[in-house]
Amino acid sequence: MDWLVVAVFGGVYIGMALGRWPGLAINRTGIALIGALVLLLSGAVDGDAALASVDFATLSVLLTLMVLSSQYAASGFFDWIGNRITHLDLTPRGLLAGVIAICGGLSAVMTNDVVVWAVTPILIQGVMARRLDPRPYVIAVACAANAGSAATLIGNPQNLMIAEFGQLDFTAFLLACGVPALIGLLIVYGVIAYGPMTRAAFDPVPDGSALDEGGPIKLDRPMLIKAVTATIAVIAIFIFVEDRALWSLLIVAVLLLSRRLGTDQVLGRVDWHLLALFCGLFIVSGAMAGDDAIANFFRDALSGLRIDNPAVLATLSLVGSNTIGNVPLVMMLLSLGPEWTPELLHGLAVFSTLSGNFLIVGSVANIIAIEQARAAGITIGFGDYARVGIPVTLISLAFAWGWIMMFV
C-alpha cells in the first residue's frame, strides 16, 4: 500500500471538508491541485495514469453548459426572468411559489450555480421594493435550484459525473429522478411558506405600487434563440448520441461563432476554478483507485457499510455532502465504491443533490446565494439557513428514499 497516496488523499479530503488548510489562504481548488502535483512529482502517479484518470467527457459537457449559460446571460435572459419574477402580481406566498417553480425549472436544464448567481441579486431588489423580508426568498432560490437540478443529467456537476460513469440514459434518469426533484420543490415551498421559522415573513400584504417599474428589460432575441436552440441540441445529444463529449464541444464551437459576442465574453463566464478542481480530484481519486491494495481496502470498508442499501447511501450522502462536498463525495464513491447499477446511480444522484440543502456548506449554490445577499446588505446566518435547510432536506430525503426503493 502506497502510504503517500493515502496521506495525500486524506490531506486533500480534509481540506475539502474544512474548505482550506489551517493557516493558509488556499481554497478547495488549490488544495486539489497541490495534491495532484505532489503525486505527480513524487512519482506515485505517472503522467499517463494522471491523464487517464481525468474524465474529459464530464469536463467537456460541463464546459458546454457553462458556455451555454454565458449565451443566456449575454442575451439578457437572466435579468429579464429575474425582473419578471419580482413583478408578478401575487401575494407573498404566491411570489414564493413562482420563485421556486422558475428557479427549479431553470436548474433542471442549466447548472444550478449559474441560476442562483443570476437570479438572486434581482430577486432581492424586487422583494425589498415590495417591503418584504428577502431572506426566505433567497433561501428558497438556493433550495429550489438544488432540488430542481436533481431531475436531469445536466442539472449539476455531480449528475454529469454519474451520467458519464454509468452511461445513463437521459429519459430513464428523468423518469427516475424527476419525481423526487418535484416533490423536493413542493417541500421547499411548504417548509418556507408555512414552517414555524419563516411563515411570519409572509403575513404582510405586498404593496405593488412600491415597485420601481423603470424601463422594461430588453431581450436580445437572436442571442436568446441561439441559446434555446443550443439547449435543445444538448438535450438531444444526451438522448440520442453515444459520444456526448465530442458533440457537446461542437455546441461550444457553434456558440463561439458570433459576429457580436467575442470569445473572451463567452469564455469569461466559465468557472475555470471548478474545472481545475475536477482535474485535481480526478487525479487524486484515480491514484487511490489505481492502487489495488488501497482500492480493495476502501471497497471492503464501503461494502461493510452496505452503501448499496438506499438508506445507507442516503445517510452517507447527507454526511458527505455537508462535510467534504457532494462533488468530491460522488467522485470518491464512483472510484472506490461497489458495483454500480443504473438504479443505484440514480439514487446517488438524487441523494447527493438533495443533501446539499441541509446546511450552507452543503452546496456551492447555497454559498453563492448567501454571498449575493451579503453584498446587498442582507445577512443570512448559519442558523437562519439551517432552520429551513434541515427540515427541507430530511423530508425530501425520506420521500426520495421511498421512491428509489421502488426501483432498486
Side-chain angles (χ1 to χ4, degrees):
M1 183 179 291
D2 192 331
W3 292 105
L4 176 62
V5 175
V6 175
V8 170
F9 181 87
V12 167
Y13 274 80
I14 288 172
M16 293 299 107
L18 297 176
R20 62 186 181 88
W21 279 332
L24 297 174
I26 185 172
N27 62 10
R28 290 181 172 91
T29 299
I31 291 169
L33 291 177
I34 288 175
L37 187 61
V38 169
L39 292 176
L40 285 166
L41 291 177
S42 66
V45 177
D46 61 35
D48 291 339
L51 282 175
S53 65
V54 176
D55 187 346
F56 287 102
T58 296
L59 295 178
S60 298
V61 177
L62 186 56
L63 174 64
T64 301
L65 294 176
M66 290 177 179
V67 171
L68 185 57
S69 298
S70 292
Q71 185 75 24
Y72 276 105
S75 73
F77 173 76
F78 291 127
D79 292 336
W80 179 83
I81 199 71
N83 182 267
R84 294 300 301 165
I85 292 173
T86 56
H87 285 77
L88 292 172
D89 186 16
L90 297 170
T91 65
R93 285 188 174 89
L95 177 62
L96 177 70
V99 167
I100 291 172
I102 293 172
C103 291
L106 288 176
S107 296
V109 293
M110 303 179 192
T111 53
N112 52 348
D113 301 343
V114 171
V115 173
V116 171
W117 173 82
V119 170
T120 303
I122 303 170
L123 177 70
I124 290 173
Q125 293 177 9
V127 296
M128 290 182 69
R130 289 174 178 254
R131 300 189 179 94
L132 296 172
D133 184 353
R135 291 175 298 175
Y137 294 94
V138 172
I139 296 173
V141 169
C143 290
N146 289 328
S149 73
T152 68
L153 296 176
I154 58 176
N156 56 58
Q158 64 268 22
N159 283 10
L160 283 174
M161 280 193 298
I162 293 168
E164 290 302 320
F165 177 86
Q167 286 299 294
L168 299 180
D169 177 74
F170 186 94
T171 305
F173 189 99
L174 178 61
L175 292 174
C177 303
V179 171
L182 178 59
I183 292 173
L185 291 174
L186 295 175
I187 291 168
V188 171
Y189 174 76
V191 170
I192 296 179
Y194 299 102
M197 300 301 176
T198 51
R199 62 171 174 244
F202 301 96
D203 290 340
V205 176
D207 181 7
S209 63
L211 288 172
D212 179 16
E213 294 294 337
I217 294 180
K218 294 182 179 180
L219 284 170
D220 188 318
R221 296 190 181 278
M223 280 193 182
L224 180 60
I225 291 171
K226 189 175 181 180
V228 171
T229 304
T231 302
I232 295 171
V234 169
I235 294 173
I237 287 170
F238 268 81
I239 295 175
F240 300 112
V241 178
E242 289 187 9
D243 193 353
R244 298 167 177 171
L246 188 59
W247 285 93
S248 294
L249 290 177
L250 178 60
I251 301 296
V252 174
V254 171
L255 292 176
L256 286 172
L257 293 172
S258 174
R259 290 178 297 178
R260 299 168 51 203
L261 203 59
T263 300
D264 54 340
Q265 293 174 281
V266 176
L267 298 182
R269 291 187 176 93
V270 171
D271 190 346
W272 299 106
H273 291 273
L274 180 60
L275 296 177
L277 170 67
F278 269 58
C279 289
L281 288 177
F282 275 133
I283 293 172
V284 173
S285 298
M288 290 286 286
D291 188 299
D292 291 338
I294 297 173
N296 290 333
F297 173 80
F298 271 87
R299 289 191 180 103
D300 290 342
L302 292 173
S303 177
L305 288 174
R306 294 298 308 274
I307 65 170
D308 55 341
N309 183 316
V312 176
L313 185 59
T315 303
L316 183 61
S317 297
L318 178 61
V319 174
S321 294
N322 290 277
T323 50
I324 63 175
N326 43 26
V327 168
L329 171 73
V330 167
M331 199 172 291
M332 180 181 71
L333 291 180
L334 293 180
S335 299
L336 303 170
E339 292 294 326
W340 291 98
T341 64
E343 294 77 16
L344 203 57
L345 288 173
H346 293 156
L348 176 61
V350 169
F351 296 147
S352 63
T353 301
L354 294 180
S355 293
N357 278 333
F358 194 72
L359 299 172
I360 289 177
V361 296
S363 166
V364 174
N366 302 345
I367 297 172
I368 292 172
I370 301 307
E371 290 301 318
Q372 293 273 33
R374 181 177 300 168
I378 307 300
T379 300
I380 300 176
F382 191 87
D384 296 327
Y385 182 92
R387 282 190 286 271
V388 173
I390 290 175
V392 162
T393 304
L394 295 180
I395 299 171
S396 299
L397 285 178
F399 275 95
W401 170 81
W403 175 259
I404 295 297
M405 282 296 293
M406 295 171 59
F407 300 95
V408 175

